[in-house]
């Protein structure tokens, strides 16, 4: 009887979990957001069903087995110590559930990880107290909104100019920290046009609470292109300087090739050969790094262009081959970086 | 029995002369029971202070644009609130407090292995607590209880004070851990084999190694942060070659085990209260004891589930997800076993029992949301939001703090010889239970819908539920005030309890309340598990404990 009631409640909870109009409260702006919603529904269904049984029996036992006025004051309960069979099952069933949940969540996680790698590369940089954005053909930084075209895969590189921030778009069901000295990447494909708040989720200073005012705009390709052109023109005269980690800009113009070459043999040859990309020492070979048609992309989805190479020199990089030190730990000044980039640019 | 021979001698074997004078008895006491009570009182004082901070938080959040305190102050308030609740309230209450008070009695020992160390570790604690609160005078830390660098490198001078204070509580915890491990290994009464130990002792036995091992990682992290802030050695600052993520590894290598430090002893309390008031043995004793050890061990292998957004390589994250799921299994075993303990019982609804049953109901919610959070795709959505705040309060307030209250109602007679008032107790329970759920349940959906944590202002669309939570939190505070009134009133006026008001079967209830400073006139011999109500008590040698006979050889030994 009790079991039947609890089962009915559990079914109700499962139905509720699978029919609740989540997207009415929080639109699913990217493709994988709906998969995360599927996971939420699955966990909410199983979790609430489990809870209904535990809490249901708890309350039922608590009421059914209370000492009654008619009991002798020293009456005792049934002296059950354990029950092998029961204990076996409530160890094994959760284990099976753990396996199912692992499969379900790993599959959804892989969908998120396996989003296309060759998408539009955008960079979001956390600052106290705003995010700025960099696009391939726009000089400098975009500082108000982040725009993305509908349906085009995006590779979003995240880093920070000061402290750790969290880059979260609730409508994407996705976030990652922006860590100074580290570039992290998330990939996704926008699926629903709209304006979605971008929110900082790591405490970053006094105005942390105010870091929820910017928006991600997802729009059709023509509108996006108009916006993009607008910024290209607006920033045409802005130098393409990168914000250094310490807030110092890195001027790429005026690098000295000879100085760069000397520096390369001092600071870089311990890990990099001047040989084709595949000839790894600690890191990859750097011959023709900026002009190698076989490797249009660098590590982490960075393009083989001077600005991105500079940002790797500046921030260092940690990847499958190991860690490359950042400029500060390698003792490189902004001018050194400019010199090195100028030198690398001559390798064809 | 061989065990008997091993355990009858040693430190537990003789009785020291009675300490003389107020200072020796109640201030610099070496008696584990007094030290336990000192911990409990001190922790409750800090509990009141950090509770006030909590109400400041909720008052600020009555309005979307805040306005109660300035944002900077608000950040100080919640940072000290969280730090104090974890390190000055829950951990000391459950380990130094109830641990000291109860488990040496339960294993039939006269004291812990190292009474002087015990006194030292207590006295470090209030000093550290005052240091933490004094950080308000010099600009308290603002980056939450986790104090992630680099932002914590920018924090005011109080952040260094925070490092020093938490370092000191850590030292105190480590000493306590060592003391408890040695005591449980070496000072059990003859015949008290591991499989006869009460479950509260098992809870402490699983916790103590965590205190010893994990806390050292925290100490290293804190020392590094302190040194970097004061002397500029760049451990964490990436512009000078440090690694900010390293702090997160070190911090969570401590702090995940620390969440088990904050719950395993509470599991132990629940496992004592349930059988006593259901008048039947706890269901599945062995599995409950074993699962505590499993949780403690697995607890060391899951820390990076707090770091799924920190930029770790995916193949590193995967094992942390799966291992965290697996912790759900031993945790589930406990919950099912406790529920089954009620089956076929003759349940007496004392306040302690209400809190114990409430604990199961609420902790389970936090345990389930914990499993949700271990699912990386879901965590990538809700990490750093109010969903986390909801989860952690369900386990820490619905779990640990409810456990503390259960323990208070249960063992108050052992501390004072008087019962807490049951009517006030029941009002306390119900108001607290309702207030708690109304405060923290809505945080689940607030977080999922887009409210980040650690914010002084928020999006106006969340106003309704925030106001609802704030009002409910006042109800919770009111319930806690009733508890304090109850304690203060009952210390003088409560009904006298006698040695064993609950008809409980563990050793601490077979001696007077409060016990003599030497605990047992004669160390008893143990013949079995305490929990079977149909059997006679499994102890020999307790005949004189409740008589007026003087303890044997009260003087001399040293
Ligand atoms: C089955 C048991 C549990 C699981 C699977 C679990 C899982 C998790 C996970 C994955 C997180 C990280 C969420 C995030 O920051 O994104 C988390 C946070 C947290 N958990 Fe649990 N948890 C469990 C039980 C507990 C217990 C027993 C406690 C304490 C008594 C606890 C206290 C906390 C706290 C304090 C946080 C938040 C830390 C912070 O970011 O400030 N958890 N839990
Ligand atoms: Cu954890």
């Amino acid at each position: 009887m009790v079991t039947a009631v609890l089962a009915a409640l559990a079914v109700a909870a499962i139905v509720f979990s699978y029919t609740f109009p989540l997207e009415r409260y929080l639109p699913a702006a990217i493709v994988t957001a709906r998969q995360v919603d599927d996971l939420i529904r699955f966990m909410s269904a199983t979790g609430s069903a489990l809870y209904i049984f535990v809490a249901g029996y708890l309350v039922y036992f608590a009421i059914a087995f209370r000492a009654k006025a008619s009991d002798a004051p020293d009456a005792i309960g049934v002296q059950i110590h354990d029950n092998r069979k029961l204990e076996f099952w409530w160890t094994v069933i959760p284990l099976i559930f753990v396996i199912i949940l692992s499969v379900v969540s790993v599959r959804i996680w892989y969908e998120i990880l396996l989003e296309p790698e060759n998408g539009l590369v955008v960079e979001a940089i956390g600052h106290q107290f705003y995010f700025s954005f960099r696009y391939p053909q726009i000089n400098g930084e975009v500082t108000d909104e982040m725009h993305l075209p509908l349906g085009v895969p995006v590779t979003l590189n995240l880093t920070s100019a000061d402290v750790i921030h969290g880059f979260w778009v609730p409508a994407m069901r996705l976030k990652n920290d922006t860590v100074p000295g580290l570039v992290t990447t998330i990939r996704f494909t926008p699926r629903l046009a709209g304006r979605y708040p971008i929110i900082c989720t790591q405490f970053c200073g006094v105005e942390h609470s105010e870091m929820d005012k910017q928006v991600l705009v997802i729009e059709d390709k023509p509108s996006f292109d108009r916006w993009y052109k607008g910024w290209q023109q607006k920033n045409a005269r802005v130098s393409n300087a990168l914000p250094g980690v310490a807030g110092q800009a890195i001027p790429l113009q005026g690098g000295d090739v000879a100085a760069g070459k000397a520096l390369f043999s001092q600071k870089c040859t311990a890990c990099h050969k001047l040989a084709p990309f595949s000839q790894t020492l600690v890191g990859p070979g750097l011959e023709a790094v900026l002009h190698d048609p076989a490797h249009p992309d660098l590590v982490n989805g960075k393009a083989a262009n001077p600005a991105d190479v500079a940002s790797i020199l500046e921030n260092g990089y940690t990847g499958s081959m190991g860690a490359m030190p950042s400029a500060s730990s390698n003792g490189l000044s902004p001018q050194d970086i400019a010199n090195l980039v100028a030198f690398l640019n001559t390798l064809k | 029995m061989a065990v008997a021979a091993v355990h009858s001698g040693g430190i537990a074997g003789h009785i020291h002369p009675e300490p003389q004078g107020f200072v020796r008895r109640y201030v610099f006491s070496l008696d584990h029971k007094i030290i336990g009570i000192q911990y409990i009182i001190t922790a409750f004082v800090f509990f009141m202070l950090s509770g006030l901070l909590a109400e400041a938080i909720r008052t600020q959040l009555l309005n979307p644009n805040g306005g109660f305190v300035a944002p900077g102050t608000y950040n100080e308030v919640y940072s000290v609130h969280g730090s104090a609740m974890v390190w000055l309230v829950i951990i000391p209450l459950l380990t130094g407090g109830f641990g000291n008070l109860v488990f040496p009695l339960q294993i039939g020992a006269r004291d812990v292995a190292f009474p002087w160390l015990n006194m030292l570790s207590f006295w470090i604690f209030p000093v550290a607590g005052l240091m933490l609160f004094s950080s308000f005078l010099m600009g308290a830390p603002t980056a939450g209880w986790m104090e992630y660098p680099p932002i914590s490198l920018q924090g005011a001078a109080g952040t260094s004070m925070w490092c020093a204070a938490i370092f000191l509580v850590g030292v105190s915890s480590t000493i306590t851990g060592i003391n408890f491990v040695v005591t449980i290994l070496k000072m059990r009464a003859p015949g008290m084999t591991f499989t006869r130990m009460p479950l509260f002792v098992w809870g402490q036995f699983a916790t103590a190694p965590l205190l010893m091992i994990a806390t050292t990682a925290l100490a290293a992290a804190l020392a590094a942060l302190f040194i970097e802030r004061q002397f500029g050695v760049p451990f964490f600052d990436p512009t000078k070659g440090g690694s900010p993520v390293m702090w997160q590894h070190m911090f969570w290598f401590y702090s995940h085990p620390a969440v088990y430090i904050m719950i395993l002893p509470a599991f132990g309390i629940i496992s004592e209260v349930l059988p006593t008031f259901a008048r039947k043995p706890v269901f599945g004793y062995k599995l409950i004891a074993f699962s505590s050890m499993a949780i403690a061990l697995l607890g060391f292998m899951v820390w990076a589930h707090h770091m799924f957004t920190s930029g770790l390589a995916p193949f590193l994250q995967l094992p942390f997800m799966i291992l965290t799921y697996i912790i759900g299994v031993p945790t589930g075993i406990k919950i099912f076993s406790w529920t089954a303990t009620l089956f076929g019982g003759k349940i007496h609804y004392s306040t302690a029992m209400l809190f114990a049953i409430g604990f199961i109901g609420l902790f389970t919610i936090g345990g389930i949301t914990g499993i949700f959070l271990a699912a990386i795709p879901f965590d990538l959505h809700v990490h750093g939001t109010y969903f986390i705040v909801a989860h952690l309060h369900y386990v820490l307030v619905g779990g640990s703090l409810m456990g503390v209250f259960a323990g208070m109602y249960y063992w108050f007679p052992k501390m004072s010889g008087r019962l807490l008032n049951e009517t006030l107790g029941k009002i306390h329970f119900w108001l607290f239970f309702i207030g708690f759920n109304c405060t923290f349940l809505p945080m689940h959906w607030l977080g999922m819908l887009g409210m980040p944590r650690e914010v002084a202002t928020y999006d106006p669309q969340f106003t309704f539920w925030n106001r609802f939570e704030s009002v409910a939190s006042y109800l919770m505070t009111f319930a806690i005030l009733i508890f304090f009134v109850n304690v203060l009133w009952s210390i003088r006026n409560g009904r006298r309890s006698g040695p064993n008001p609950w008809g409980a079967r563990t050793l601490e209830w077979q001696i007077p309340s409060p016990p003599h400073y030497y605990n047992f006139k004669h160390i008893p011999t143990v013949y079995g598990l305490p929990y079977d109500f149909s059997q006679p008590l499994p102890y020999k040698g307790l005949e004189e404990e409740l008589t007026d006979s003087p303890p044997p050889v009260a003087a001399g030994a040293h």
Side-chain angles (χ1 to χ4, degrees):
Chain A
M1 175 56 198
V2 175
T3 312
V5 172
L6 294 180
L9 281 174
V11 169
I14 292 170
V15 171
F16 176 81
S17 303
Y18 275 99
T19 53
F20 184 81
L22 243 174
E23 288 179 40
R24 204 156 79 212
Y25 294 91
L26 195 61
I30 62 172
V31 173
T32 53
R34 306 192 84 183
Q35 266 124 18
V36 176
D37 285 356
D38 287 344
L39 180 64
I40 294 177
R41 289 181 199 285
F42 174 75
M43 294 195 310
S44 147
T46 45
S48 54
L50 173 74
Y51 188 70
I52 284 168
F53 277 104
V54 171
Y57 280 116
L58 185 70
V59 171
Y60 166 56
F61 292 165
I63 295 171
F65 298 108
R66 68 192 187 284
K68 306 191 179 66
S70 56
D71 288 328
D74 57 353
I76 60 174
V78 200
Q79 303 298 300
I80 314 165
H81 291 262
D82 49 16
N83 179 327
R84 283 283 155 79
K85 229 159 118 192
L86 217 63
E87 288 172 311
F88 174 79
W89 284 114
W90 70 43
T91 310
V92 168
I93 294 178
L95 263 176
I96 295 173
F97 176 70
V98 161
I99 294 170
I100 298 175
L101 181 60
S102 303
V103 172
V104 171
S105 46
V106 167
R107 272 181 48 190
I108 290 171
W109 187 40
Y110 268 70
E111 306 256 358
I112 296 173
L113 290 176
L114 294 181
E115 281 281 291
E117 303 209 358
N118 52 357
L120 171 68
V121 179
V122 183
E123 190 166 345
I125 302 160
H127 303 262
Q128 287 171 318
F129 297 96
Y130 64 97
F131 292 101
S132 66
F133 309 99
R134 294 180 1 101
Y135 287 77
Q137 311 298 333
I138 298 176
N139 284 349
E141 304 191 312
V142 172
T143 45
D144 58 348
E145 298 174 342
M146 176 178 180
H147 281 233
L148 292 175
L150 198 59
V152 177
V154 177
T155 295
L156 180 62
N157 291 327
L158 299 161
T159 190
S160 168
D162 38 52
V163 299
I164 300 177
H165 305 265
F167 178 95
W168 182 37
V169 179
M172 291 182 9
R173 321 279 193 280
L174 190 56
K175 75 165 63 65
N176 220 330
D177 294 354
T178 71
V179 185
L182 200 70
V183 180
T184 57
T185 303
I186 52 179
R187 293 190 298 268
F188 55 88
T189 310
R191 65 169 280 275
L192 188 70
R195 297 173 62 83
Y196 309 104
I198 300 171
I199 296 169
C200 175
T201 49
Q202 283 293 343
F203 178 78
C204 59
V206 211
E207 287 173 48
H208 166 63
S209 322
E210 300 299 312
M211 241 177 116
D212 59 355
K213 304 282 183 276
Q214 284 167 291
V215 289
L216 161 67
V217 178
I218 295 178
E219 58 199 354
D220 55 34
K221 191 82 171 63
S223 317
F224 174 76
D225 287 340
R226 270 199 302 284
W227 174 84
Y228 199 82
K229 283 234 169 59
W231 270 96
Q232 274 181 323
Q233 281 158 13
K234 189 165 162 193
N235 277 13
R237 288 160 186 289
V238 174
S239 93
N240 209 8
L242 272 175
V245 167
Q248 243 177 331
I250 305 171
L252 285 184
Q253 288 78 15
D256 176 349
V257 178
K261 186 171 182 185
L263 206 55
F264 189 87
S265 54
Q266 277 173 28
K267 300 259 183 186
C268 314
T269 44
C271 300
H272 297 283
K273 294 194 217 173
L274 282 181
F277 192 82
S278 53
Q279 293 208 22
T280 311
L281 197 56
V282 175
L286 293 181
E287 186 181 76
V289 58
L290 285 163
H291 303 281
D292 184 351
H295 290 283
D297 288 332
L298 298 178
V299 288
N300 237 355
K302 296 251 171 197
N305 64 35
D308 281 0
V309 170
S311 105
I312 292 176
L313 294 180
E314 169 73 13
N315 297 316
Y317 172 72
T318 305
S320 53
M321 298 181 194
M324 159 156 163
S326 63
S328 50
S329 47
N330 209 356
L332 298 175
S333 69
Q335 187 57 48
D336 290 339
I337 292 180
N339 296 348
L340 280 166
V341 172
F343 164 66
L344 291 173
N345 211 2
T346 61
L347 304 171
K348 298 221 161 119
Chain B
M1 185 178 258
V3 193
V6 177
H7 290 293
S8 56
I11 315 171
H14 59 257
I15 296 176
H16 288 264
E18 182 167 13
Q20 299 298 324
F22 183 80
V23 172
R24 276 253 154 254
R25 272 192 180 165
Y26 299 114
V27 185
F28 295 109
S29 170
L30 295 176
D31 179 342
H32 68 99
K33 304 178 290 299
I34 302 295
I35 293 177
I37 293 170
Q38 289 176 319
Y39 261 109
I40 290 174
I41 293 174
T42 316
F44 271 120
V45 170
F46 290 131
F47 178 68
M48 281 194 252
L49 294 176
S50 22
L52 279 179
L53 297 178
E55 286 315 325
I57 294 174
R58 284 310 332 164
T59 304
Q60 169 86 356
L61 296 178
L62 274 171
N63 291 310
N65 45 12
F68 180 60
V69 291
T73 316
Y74 177 80
N75 301 335
E76 298 182 19
V77 166
Y78 75 69
S79 301
V80 176
H81 160 76
S83 310
M85 282 296 190
V86 167
W87 285 298
L88 305 183
V89 179
I90 300 290
I91 295 181
L93 274 172
L94 286 172
T95 59
F98 284 108
N100 259 316
L101 178 74
V102 176
F103 95 78
L105 297 173
Q106 288 190 328
I107 61 172
R110 291 231 160 89
D111 205 323
V112 292
F114 309 113
W116 283 92
L117 275 185
N118 206 16
M119 178 176 85
L120 175 69
S121 75
F122 168 71
W123 277 105
I124 292 173
F125 160 51
V127 174
L130 291 178
M131 282 167 64
L132 177 58
F133 278 95
S134 77
S135 69
F136 274 117
L137 304 176
M138 56 196 92
T142 54
W145 78 292
M146 309 174 283
E147 291 297 318
Y148 280 9
I151 184 65
S152 55
L153 299 173
Q154 298 175 3
T159 311
S160 297
M161 185 55 106
W162 176 90
C163 293
I166 306 302
F167 186 94
L168 280 183
V169 217
V171 171
S172 152
S173 289
T174 314
I175 301 177
T176 301
I178 296 171
N179 212 340
F180 284 11
V181 170
V182 176
T183 307
I184 295 173
L185 286 179
K186 288 290 173 200
M187 296 176 60
R188 281 166 290 136
M192 171 138 325
T193 57
F194 272 101
T195 48
R196 291 175 187 167
M197 275 188 342
L199 285 166
F200 181 77
V201 183
W202 271 106
Q204 294 291 333
F205 188 58
T207 307
L210 301 182
L211 285 173
M212 276 164 58
I213 300 167
T215 313
T216 47
L218 178 71
L222 291 166
L225 187 62
F226 184 88
I227 291 170
E228 174 152 6
R229 285 178 49 87
Q230 299 307 120
F231 310 110
V233 182
F235 292 102
F236 305 118
D237 182 349
T239 63
K240 305 200 187 82
S243 159
V245 178
M246 185 171 76
W247 165 270
Q248 301 178 17
H249 281 295
M250 296 172 86
F251 182 84
W252 289 116
F253 186 79
Y254 162 77
S255 283
H256 187 82
V259 308
Y260 293 112
I261 293 172
M262 295 187 271
I263 202 69
L264 289 171
F267 287 171
I269 295 176
I270 301 310
S271 306
E272 297 297 334
V273 171
L274 285 175
T276 299
F277 294 102
R279 316 306 293 161
K280 66 188 284 275
V282 68
F283 188 95
Y285 167 89
K286 281 198 179 142
L287 264 189
I288 292 192
F290 171 77
S291 59
S292 288
M293 301 309 280
I295 289 174
L297 187 70
L298 285 168
F300 275 110
M301 299 187 238
V302 297
W303 76 92
H305 66 210
H306 296 271
M307 300 168 59
F308 289 146
T309 65
S310 306
L312 305 184
F315 73 90
L316 280 179
Q317 300 184 8
L318 186 65
F320 287 101
M321 168 161 93
I322 310 280
L323 282 165
T324 310
Y325 288 161
I326 292 176
I327 291 198
V329 177
T331 313
I333 290 175
K334 281 183 185 292
I335 292 168
F336 302 139
S337 304
W338 290 325
T339 309
T341 301
L342 297 184
F343 179 84
K346 284 268 173 268
I347 303 171
H348 292 263
Y349 280 103
S350 67
T351 309
M353 187 62 164
L354 285 176
F355 273 104
I357 294 181
F359 170 102
I360 306 174
L362 298 184
F363 173 78
T364 305
I365 295 181
I368 291 176
T369 55
I371 300 291
F372 289 5
L373 289 173
I376 295 174
F378 182 64
D379 189 63
L380 295 182
H381 179 46
V382 294
H383 174 77
T385 71
Y386 258 87
F387 193 95
I388 307 297
V389 181
H391 161 72
L392 79 89
H393 284 87
Y394 265 86
V395 285
L396 281 174
V397 180
S400 310
L401 190 62
M402 298 271 282
V404 164
F405 284 135
M408 279 301 287
Y409 285 92
Y410 187 58
W411 280 304
F412 189 79
K414 212 19 83 181
M415 297 182 229
S416 65
R418 291 175 191 271
L419 292 157
L420 283 172
N421 182 295
E422 283 287 312
T423 312
L424 287 180
K426 282 171 186 157
I427 298 174
H428 166 206
F429 171 78
W430 285 110
L431 293 185
F432 185 79
F433 186 83
I434 296 167
F436 168 79
N437 281 296
C438 294
T439 306
F440 293 104
L441 197 66
M443 291 182 186
H444 289 105
W445 53 85
L446 285 180
M448 288 175 69
L449 291 178
M451 183 164 165
R453 67 191 279 197
E454 307 188 330
V455 285
T457 59
Y458 55 88
D459 189 323
Q461 63 166 311
F462 303 128
T463 312
F464 173 79
W465 287 113
N466 272 288
R467 289 205 173 141
F468 181 86
E469 289 167 358
S470 293
V471 173
S473 79
Y474 300 143
L475 183 68
M476 219 168 112
T477 307
F478 179 67
I480 291 168
L481 285 180
I482 294 180
F483 166 73
F484 282 126
V485 168
N486 193 351
V487 169
L488 294 178
W489 184 84
S490 301
I491 283 179
R492 300 185 153 267
N493 311 308
R495 212 150 48 77
R496 291 209 180 271
S497 63
N500 190 359
W502 317 121
R505 299 174 57 92
T506 38
L507 267 173
E508 81 272 29
W509 297 107
Q510 315 313 326
I511 55 176
S513 304
H516 299 294
Y517 73 95
Y518 47 79
N519 297 352
F520 299 90
K521 286 177 189 156
H522 305 281
I523 302 291
T525 306
V526 180
Y527 291 94
L529 263 181
Y531 299 114
D532 193 322
F533 285 76
S534 62
Q535 302 290 321
L537 286 172
Y539 312 116
K540 286 249 167 69
L542 288 169
E543 299 76 11
E544 282 184 40
E545 299 301 334
L546 297 178
T547 66
D548 289 335
S549 68
V553 231
H558 279 292

